[in-house]
PDB file of all heavy atoms in Angstrom:
ATOM      1  N   LEU A  12      13.734 230.528 202.397  1.00 98.00           N
ATOM      2  CA  LEU A  12      13.039 231.778 202.776  1.00 98.00           C
ATOM      3  C   LEU A  12      14.095 232.823 203.114  1.00 98.00           C
ATOM      4  O   LEU A  12      14.974 232.641 203.990  1.00 98.00           O
ATOM      5  CB  LEU A  12      12.119 231.465 203.925  1.00 98.00           C
ATOM      6  CG  LEU A  12      11.267 232.674 204.398  1.00 98.00           C
ATOM      7  CD1 LEU A  12      10.369 233.188 203.344  1.00 98.00           C
ATOM      8  CD2 LEU A  12      10.428 232.211 205.639  1.00 98.00           C
ATOM      9  N   VAL A  14      14.465 236.853 204.245  1.00 98.00           N
ATOM     10  CA  VAL A  14      13.720 238.006 204.762  1.00 98.00           C
ATOM     11  C   VAL A  14      14.667 239.107 205.154  1.00 98.00           C
ATOM     12  O   VAL A  14      15.879 238.766 205.471  1.00 98.00           O
ATOM     13  CB  VAL A  14      12.762 237.696 205.867  1.00 98.00           C
ATOM     14  CG1 VAL A  14      11.683 236.657 205.396  1.00 98.00           C
ATOM     15  CG2 VAL A  14      13.524 237.227 207.093  1.00 98.00           C
ATOM     16  N   GLN A  15      14.207 240.327 205.262  1.00 98.00           N
ATOM     17  CA  GLN A  15      15.060 241.425 205.713  1.00 98.00           C
ATOM     18  C   GLN A  15      14.912 241.460 207.283  1.00 98.00           C
ATOM     19  O   GLN A  15      13.840 241.086 207.856  1.00 98.00           O
ATOM     20  CB  GLN A  15      14.505 242.703 205.146  1.00 98.00           C
ATOM     21  CG  GLN A  15      15.548 243.850 205.011  1.00 98.00           C
ATOM     22  CD  GLN A  15      16.628 243.493 203.954  1.00 98.00           C
ATOM     23  OE1 GLN A  15      16.332 242.895 202.927  1.00 98.00           O
ATOM     24  NE2 GLN A  15      17.864 243.843 204.327  1.00 98.00           N
ATOM     25  N   GLU A  16      16.024 241.849 207.901  1.00 97.00           N
ATOM     26  CA  GLU A  16      15.989 241.898 209.360  1.00 97.00           C
ATOM     27  C   GLU A  16      14.819 242.753 209.819  1.00 97.00           C
ATOM     28  O   GLU A  16      14.543 243.833 209.312  1.00 97.00           O
ATOM     29  CB  GLU A  16      17.315 242.509 209.840  1.00 97.00           C
ATOM     30  CG  GLU A  16      17.436 242.616 211.346  1.00 97.00           C
ATOM     31  CD  GLU A  16      18.774 243.173 211.819  1.00 97.00           C
ATOM     32  OE1 GLU A  16      19.655 243.471 210.967  1.00 97.00           O
ATOM     33  OE2 GLU A  16      19.050 243.279 213.003  1.00 97.00           O
ATOM     34  N   GLY A  17      14.135 242.231 210.842  1.00 97.00           N
ATOM     35  CA  GLY A  17      12.935 242.961 211.358  1.00 97.00           C
ATOM     36  C   GLY A  17      11.596 242.544 210.780  1.00 97.00           C
ATOM     37  O   GLY A  17      10.585 242.705 211.360  1.00 97.00           O
ATOM     38  N   ASP A  18      11.630 241.910 209.582  1.00 97.00           N
ATOM     39  CA  ASP A  18      10.470 241.314 209.016  1.00 97.00           C
ATOM     40  C   ASP A  18      10.047 240.040 209.726  1.00 97.00           C
ATOM     41  O   ASP A  18      10.757 239.506 210.497  1.00 97.00           O
ATOM     42  CB  ASP A  18      10.621 241.085 207.464  1.00 97.00           C
ATOM     43  CG  ASP A  18      10.761 242.331 206.688  1.00 97.00           C
ATOM     44  OD1 ASP A  18      10.465 243.412 207.243  1.00 97.00           O
ATOM     45  OD2 ASP A  18      11.098 242.251 205.496  1.00 97.00           O
ATOM     46  N   SER A  19       8.864 239.550 209.302  1.00 98.00           N
ATOM     47  CA  SER A  19       8.322 238.261 209.965  1.00 98.00           C
ATOM     48  C   SER A  19       8.603 237.158 208.917  1.00 98.00           C
ATOM     49  O   SER A  19       8.800 237.428 207.681  1.00 98.00           O
ATOM     50  CB  SER A  19       6.850 238.393 210.137  1.00 98.00           C
ATOM     51  OG  SER A  19       6.572 239.309 211.179  1.00 98.00           O
ATOM     52  N   ALA A  20       8.715 235.992 209.415  1.00 98.00           N
ATOM     53  CA  ALA A  20       8.877 234.772 208.620  1.00 98.00           C
ATOM     54  C   ALA A  20       7.805 233.705 208.954  1.00 98.00           C
ATOM     55  O   ALA A  20       7.579 233.481 210.192  1.00 98.00           O
ATOM     56  CB  ALA A  20      10.316 234.234 208.885  1.00 98.00           C
ATOM     57  N   VAL A  21       7.308 233.054 207.969  1.00 98.00           N
ATOM     58  CA  VAL A  21       6.319 232.002 208.300  1.00 98.00           C
ATOM     59  C   VAL A  21       6.697 230.786 207.533  1.00 98.00           C
ATOM     60  O   VAL A  21       6.932 230.895 206.343  1.00 98.00           O
ATOM     61  CB  VAL A  21       4.832 232.512 207.728  1.00 98.00           C
ATOM     62  CG1 VAL A  21       3.862 231.410 208.054  1.00 98.00           C
ATOM     63  CG2 VAL A  21       4.460 233.858 208.510  1.00 98.00           C
ATOM     64  N   ILE A  22       6.638 229.686 208.191  1.00 98.00           N
ATOM     65  CA  ILE A  22       6.879 228.317 207.644  1.00 98.00           C
ATOM     66  C   ILE A  22       5.692 227.477 207.831  1.00 98.00           C
ATOM     67  O   ILE A  22       5.167 227.460 208.938  1.00 98.00           O
ATOM     68  CB  ILE A  22       8.129 227.743 208.139  1.00 98.00           C
ATOM     69  CG1 ILE A  22       9.361 228.664 208.036  1.00 98.00           C
ATOM     70  CG2 ILE A  22       8.474 226.370 207.533  1.00 98.00           C
ATOM     71  CD1 ILE A  22      10.579 228.247 208.798  1.00 98.00           C
ATOM     72  N   ILE A  48      12.849 224.462 219.403  1.00 96.00           N
ATOM     73  CA  ILE A  48      12.554 225.926 219.642  1.00 96.00           C
ATOM     74  C   ILE A  48      11.158 226.065 220.232  1.00 96.00           C
ATOM     75  O   ILE A  48      10.936 227.074 220.999  1.00 96.00           O
ATOM     76  CB  ILE A  48      12.781 226.799 218.495  1.00 96.00           C
ATOM     77  CG1 ILE A  48      11.976 226.297 217.237  1.00 96.00           C
ATOM     78  CG2 ILE A  48      14.301 226.875 218.142  1.00 96.00           C
ATOM     79  CD1 ILE A  48      12.028 227.278 216.066  1.00 96.00           C
ATOM     80  N   GLU A  57      -2.741 227.266 219.518  1.00 93.00           N
ATOM     81  CA  GLU A  57      -1.717 228.212 219.301  1.00 93.00           C
ATOM     82  C   GLU A  57      -0.809 228.321 220.618  1.00 93.00           C
ATOM     83  O   GLU A  57      -1.263 228.135 221.680  1.00 93.00           O
ATOM     84  CB  GLU A  57      -2.338 229.629 219.115  1.00 93.00           C
ATOM     85  CG  GLU A  57      -1.342 230.667 218.694  1.00 93.00           C
ATOM     86  CD  GLU A  57      -1.971 232.036 218.295  1.00 93.00           C
ATOM     87  OE1 GLU A  57      -3.198 232.027 218.148  1.00 93.00           O
ATOM     88  OE2 GLU A  57      -1.177 233.018 218.121  1.00 93.00           O
ATOM     89  N   LYS A  59       2.760 230.611 222.068  1.00 95.00           N
ATOM     90  CA  LYS A  59       3.734 231.689 221.762  1.00 95.00           C
ATOM     91  C   LYS A  59       4.870 231.697 222.783  1.00 95.00           C
ATOM     92  O   LYS A  59       4.608 231.465 223.956  1.00 95.00           O
ATOM     93  CB  LYS A  59       2.942 233.033 221.717  1.00 95.00           C
ATOM     94  CG  LYS A  59       3.749 234.196 221.179  1.00 95.00           C
ATOM     95  CD  LYS A  59       2.924 235.376 221.062  1.00 95.00           C
ATOM     96  CE  LYS A  59       3.745 236.535 220.493  1.00 95.00           C
ATOM     97  NZ  LYS A  59       3.014 237.770 220.317  1.00 95.00           N
ATOM     98  N   ASP A  60       6.030 232.046 222.278  1.00 93.00           N
ATOM     99  CA  ASP A  60       7.214 232.138 223.190  1.00 93.00           C
ATOM    100  C   ASP A  60       8.037 233.277 222.672  1.00 93.00           C
ATOM    101  O   ASP A  60       8.826 233.076 221.694  1.00 93.00           O
ATOM    102  CB  ASP A  60       8.010 230.797 223.257  1.00 93.00           C
ATOM    103  CG  ASP A  60       9.169 230.949 224.201  1.00 93.00           C
ATOM    104  OD1 ASP A  60       9.320 231.972 224.854  1.00 93.00           O
ATOM    105  OD2 ASP A  60       9.967 229.981 224.230  1.00 93.00           O
ATOM    106  N   GLN A  61       7.874 234.422 223.182  1.00 95.00           N
ATOM    107  CA  GLN A  61       8.560 235.679 222.795  1.00 95.00           C
ATOM    108  C   GLN A  61       8.268 235.972 221.293  1.00 95.00           C
ATOM    109  O   GLN A  61       7.122 236.214 220.847  1.00 95.00           O
ATOM    110  CB  GLN A  61      10.069 235.533 223.122  1.00 95.00           C
ATOM    111  CG  GLN A  61      10.276 235.377 224.640  1.00 95.00           C
ATOM    112  CD  GLN A  61      11.658 235.352 225.007  1.00 95.00           C
ATOM    113  OE1 GLN A  61      12.612 234.936 224.227  1.00 95.00           O
ATOM    114  NE2 GLN A  61      12.014 235.715 226.264  1.00 95.00           N
ATOM    115  N   ARG A  62       9.364 235.860 220.428  1.00 97.00           N
ATOM    116  CA  ARG A  62       9.162 236.180 218.983  1.00 97.00           C
ATOM    117  C   ARG A  62       8.727 235.093 218.221  1.00 97.00           C
ATOM    118  O   ARG A  62       8.489 235.115 217.004  1.00 97.00           O
ATOM    119  CB  ARG A  62      10.524 236.736 218.423  1.00 97.00           C
ATOM    120  CG  ARG A  62      10.968 238.018 219.063  1.00 97.00           C
ATOM    121  CD  ARG A  62      12.228 238.462 218.312  1.00 97.00           C
ATOM    122  NE  ARG A  62      13.363 237.577 218.429  1.00 97.00           N
ATOM    123  CZ  ARG A  62      13.806 236.863 217.451  1.00 97.00           C
ATOM    124  NH1 ARG A  62      13.306 236.936 216.233  1.00 97.00           N
ATOM    125  NH2 ARG A  62      14.855 236.030 217.597  1.00 97.00           N
ATOM    126  N   ILE A  63       8.502 233.857 218.829  1.00 98.00           N
ATOM    127  CA  ILE A  63       8.114 232.705 218.055  1.00 98.00           C
ATOM    128  C   ILE A  63       6.759 232.219 218.448  1.00 98.00           C
ATOM    129  O   ILE A  63       6.398 232.267 219.656  1.00 98.00           O
ATOM    130  CB  ILE A  63       9.200 231.521 218.370  1.00 98.00           C
ATOM    131  CG1 ILE A  63      10.525 231.935 217.889  1.00 98.00           C
ATOM    132  CG2 ILE A  63       8.741 230.260 217.731  1.00 98.00           C
ATOM    133  CD1 ILE A  63      11.625 230.951 218.281  1.00 98.00           C
ATOM    134  N   ALA A  64       5.951 231.886 217.527  1.00 97.00           N
ATOM    135  CA  ALA A  64       4.598 231.336 217.719  1.00 97.00           C
ATOM    136  C   ALA A  64       4.338 230.186 216.763  1.00 97.00           C
ATOM    137  O   ALA A  64       4.856 230.167 215.637  1.00 97.00           O
ATOM    138  CB  ALA A  64       3.494 232.437 217.492  1.00 97.00           C
ATOM    139  N   VAL A  65       3.524 229.296 217.175  1.00 97.00           N
ATOM    140  CA  VAL A  65       3.083 228.144 216.357  1.00 97.00           C
ATOM    141  C   VAL A  65       1.680 227.978 216.429  1.00 97.00           C
ATOM    142  O   VAL A  65       1.045 228.223 217.428  1.00 97.00           O
ATOM    143  CB  VAL A  65       3.808 226.874 216.800  1.00 97.00           C
ATOM    144  CG1 VAL A  65       3.493 226.462 218.282  1.00 97.00           C
ATOM    145  CG2 VAL A  65       3.464 225.696 215.888  1.00 97.00           C
ATOM    146  N   LEU A  76       4.832 227.889 211.712  1.00 98.00           N
ATOM    147  CA  LEU A  76       5.768 228.602 212.609  1.00 98.00           C
ATOM    148  C   LEU A  76       5.809 230.074 212.211  1.00 98.00           C
ATOM    149  O   LEU A  76       5.975 230.355 211.002  1.00 98.00           O
ATOM    150  CB  LEU A  76       7.185 227.991 212.522  1.00 98.00           C
ATOM    151  CG  LEU A  76       8.235 228.624 213.314  1.00 98.00           C
ATOM    152  CD1 LEU A  76       8.047 228.370 214.887  1.00 98.00           C
ATOM    153  CD2 LEU A  76       9.633 228.143 212.944  1.00 98.00           C
ATOM    154  N   HIS A  77       5.706 230.909 213.129  1.00 98.00           N
ATOM    155  CA  HIS A  77       5.834 232.327 212.897  1.00 98.00           C
ATOM    156  C   HIS A  77       6.997 232.999 213.673  1.00 98.00           C
ATOM    157  O   HIS A  77       6.968 232.806 214.888  1.00 98.00           O
ATOM    158  CB  HIS A  77       4.479 233.090 213.247  1.00 98.00           C
ATOM    159  CG  HIS A  77       3.229 232.475 212.531  1.00 98.00           C
ATOM    160  ND1 HIS A  77       2.577 233.120 211.562  1.00 98.00           N
ATOM    161  CD2 HIS A  77       2.642 231.311 212.722  1.00 98.00           C
ATOM    162  CE1 HIS A  77       1.557 232.379 211.162  1.00 98.00           C
ATOM    163  NE2 HIS A  77       1.611 231.305 211.863  1.00 98.00           N
ATOM    164  N   ILE A  78       7.921 233.606 213.006  1.00 98.00           N
ATOM    165  CA  ILE A  78       8.932 234.342 213.695  1.00 98.00           C
ATOM    166  C   ILE A  78       8.730 235.823 213.383  1.00 98.00           C
ATOM    167  O   ILE A  78       8.849 236.200 212.253  1.00 98.00           O
ATOM    168  CB  ILE A  78      10.290 233.847 213.238  1.00 98.00           C
ATOM    169  CG1 ILE A  78      10.456 232.346 213.390  1.00 98.00           C
ATOM    170  CG2 ILE A  78      11.400 234.506 214.060  1.00 98.00           C
ATOM    171  CD1 ILE A  78      11.754 231.798 212.860  1.00 98.00           C
ATOM    172  N   THR A  79       8.629 236.624 214.452  1.00 97.00           N
ATOM    173  CA  THR A  79       8.460 238.073 214.305  1.00 97.00           C
ATOM    174  C   THR A  79       9.807 238.682 214.564  1.00 97.00           C
ATOM    175  O   THR A  79      10.629 238.195 215.202  1.00 97.00           O
ATOM    176  CB  THR A  79       7.387 238.619 215.143  1.00 97.00           C
ATOM    177  OG1 THR A  79       7.697 238.367 216.490  1.00 97.00           O
ATOM    178  CG2 THR A  79       6.022 238.023 214.799  1.00 97.00           C
ATOM    179  N   GLU A  80       9.987 239.896 214.047  1.00 98.00           N
ATOM    180  CA  GLU A  80      11.162 240.803 214.315  1.00 98.00           C
ATOM    181  C   GLU A  80      12.398 239.975 214.095  1.00 98.00           C
ATOM    182  O   GLU A  80      13.294 239.852 215.052  1.00 98.00           O
ATOM    183  CB  GLU A  80      11.092 241.386 215.716  1.00 98.00           C
ATOM    184  CG  GLU A  80       9.935 242.247 215.928  1.00 98.00           C
ATOM    185  CD  GLU A  80       9.785 242.647 217.432  1.00 98.00           C
ATOM    186  OE1 GLU A  80      10.809 242.750 218.119  1.00 98.00           O
ATOM    187  OE2 GLU A  80       8.596 242.789 217.811  1.00 98.00           O
ATOM    188  N   THR A  81      12.535 239.338 212.946  1.00 98.00           N
ATOM    189  CA  THR A  81      13.663 238.453 212.735  1.00 98.00           C
ATOM    190  C   THR A  81      14.975 239.149 212.789  1.00 98.00           C
ATOM    191  O   THR A  81      15.177 240.419 212.599  1.00 98.00           O
ATOM    192  CB  THR A  81      13.532 237.828 211.276  1.00 98.00           C
ATOM    193  OG1 THR A  81      13.428 238.850 210.347  1.00 98.00           O
ATOM    194  CG2 THR A  81      12.363 236.894 211.196  1.00 98.00           C
ATOM    195  N   GLN A  82      15.953 238.387 213.274  1.00 97.00           N
ATOM    196  CA  GLN A  82      17.322 238.866 213.498  1.00 97.00           C
ATOM    197  C   GLN A  82      18.302 237.950 212.680  1.00 97.00           C
ATOM    198  O   GLN A  82      17.978 236.800 212.409  1.00 97.00           O
ATOM    199  CB  GLN A  82      17.673 238.782 215.016  1.00 97.00           C
ATOM    200  CG  GLN A  82      16.698 239.666 215.820  1.00 97.00           C
ATOM    201  CD  GLN A  82      16.814 239.318 217.296  1.00 97.00           C
ATOM    202  OE1 GLN A  82      17.573 238.508 217.731  1.00 97.00           O
ATOM    203  NE2 GLN A  82      15.947 239.964 218.066  1.00 97.00           N
ATOM    204  N   PRO A  83      19.492 238.529 212.337  1.00 96.00           N
ATOM    205  CA  PRO A  83      20.484 237.634 211.586  1.00 96.00           C
ATOM    206  C   PRO A  83      20.701 236.263 212.233  1.00 96.00           C
ATOM    207  O   PRO A  83      20.962 235.316 211.530  1.00 96.00           O
ATOM    208  CB  PRO A  83      21.667 238.558 211.533  1.00 96.00           C
ATOM    209  CG  PRO A  83      21.178 239.955 211.594  1.00 96.00           C
ATOM    210  CD  PRO A  83      19.990 239.877 212.505  1.00 96.00           C
ATOM    211  N   GLU A  84      20.649 236.279 213.615  1.00 96.00           N
ATOM    212  CA  GLU A  84      20.930 234.973 214.225  1.00 96.00           C
ATOM    213  C   GLU A  84      19.837 233.959 214.173  1.00 96.00           C
ATOM    214  O   GLU A  84      20.053 232.795 214.576  1.00 96.00           O
ATOM    215  CB  GLU A  84      21.332 235.217 215.799  1.00 96.00           C
ATOM    216  CG  GLU A  84      20.347 236.132 216.477  1.00 96.00           C
ATOM    217  CD  GLU A  84      20.796 237.602 216.503  1.00 96.00           C
ATOM    218  OE1 GLU A  84      21.350 238.106 215.467  1.00 96.00           O
ATOM    219  OE2 GLU A  84      20.614 238.219 217.541  1.00 96.00           O
ATOM    220  N   ASP A  85      18.705 234.374 213.593  1.00 98.00           N
ATOM    221  CA  ASP A  85      17.681 233.431 213.316  1.00 98.00           C
ATOM    222  C   ASP A  85      17.948 232.627 212.060  1.00 98.00           C
ATOM    223  O   ASP A  85      17.238 231.625 211.822  1.00 98.00           O
ATOM    224  CB  ASP A  85      16.333 234.133 213.150  1.00 98.00           C
ATOM    225  CG  ASP A  85      15.779 234.869 214.400  1.00 98.00           C
ATOM    226  OD1 ASP A  85      16.101 234.327 215.462  1.00 98.00           O
ATOM    227  OD2 ASP A  85      15.099 235.917 214.180  1.00 98.00           O
ATOM    228  N   TYR A  89      15.123 225.300 209.646  1.00 98.00           N
ATOM    229  CA  TYR A  89      14.071 224.944 210.491  1.00 98.00           C
ATOM    230  C   TYR A  89      13.346 223.700 210.000  1.00 98.00           C
ATOM    231  O   TYR A  89      12.975 223.597 208.848  1.00 98.00           O
ATOM    232  CB  TYR A  89      13.077 226.163 210.642  1.00 98.00           C
ATOM    233  CG  TYR A  89      13.737 227.282 211.299  1.00 98.00           C
ATOM    234  CD1 TYR A  89      14.579 228.213 210.673  1.00 98.00           C
ATOM    235  CD2 TYR A  89      13.497 227.520 212.697  1.00 98.00           C
ATOM    236  CE1 TYR A  89      15.190 229.277 211.323  1.00 98.00           C
ATOM    237  CE2 TYR A  89      14.132 228.630 213.317  1.00 98.00           C
ATOM    238  CZ  TYR A  89      14.941 229.422 212.673  1.00 98.00           C
ATOM    239  OH  TYR A  89      15.525 230.495 213.282  1.00 98.00           O
ATOM    240  N   LEU A 103      16.279 229.376 206.296  1.00 98.00           N
ATOM    241  CA  LEU A 103      15.846 230.803 206.513  1.00 98.00           C
ATOM    242  C   LEU A 103      17.187 231.614 206.587  1.00 98.00           C
ATOM    243  O   LEU A 103      18.078 231.322 207.300  1.00 98.00           O
ATOM    244  CB  LEU A 103      15.146 230.948 207.844  1.00 98.00           C
ATOM    245  CG  LEU A 103      14.801 232.348 208.297  1.00 98.00           C
ATOM    246  CD1 LEU A 103      13.844 233.054 207.352  1.00 98.00           C
ATOM    247  CD2 LEU A 103      14.237 232.392 209.704  1.00 98.00           C
ATOM    248  N   VAL A 105      18.224 235.637 207.130  1.00 98.00           N
ATOM    249  CA  VAL A 105      17.799 236.947 207.525  1.00 98.00           C
ATOM    250  C   VAL A 105      18.914 237.896 207.221  1.00 98.00           C
ATOM    251  O   VAL A 105      19.990 237.847 207.721  1.00 98.00           O
ATOM    252  CB  VAL A 105      17.507 236.986 209.069  1.00 98.00           C
ATOM    253  CG1 VAL A 105      17.026 238.439 209.449  1.00 98.00           C
ATOM    254  CG2 VAL A 105      16.491 235.978 209.473  1.00 98.00           C
TER     255      VAL A 105
END
Side-chain angles (χ1 to χ4, degrees):
Chain A
L12 180 58
V14 300
Q15 209 65 39
E16 183 177 1
D18 288 350
S19 294
V21 180
I22 302 171
I48 54 171
E57 185 174 352
K59 192 172 180 180
D60 183 4
Q61 298 183 336
R62 297 186 297 109
I63 295 173
V65 59
L76 176 72
H77 304 250
I78 307 174
T79 58
E80 299 171 31
T81 53
Q82 300 165 3
E84 50 266 37
D85 294 330
Y89 291 81
L103 173 65
V105 181

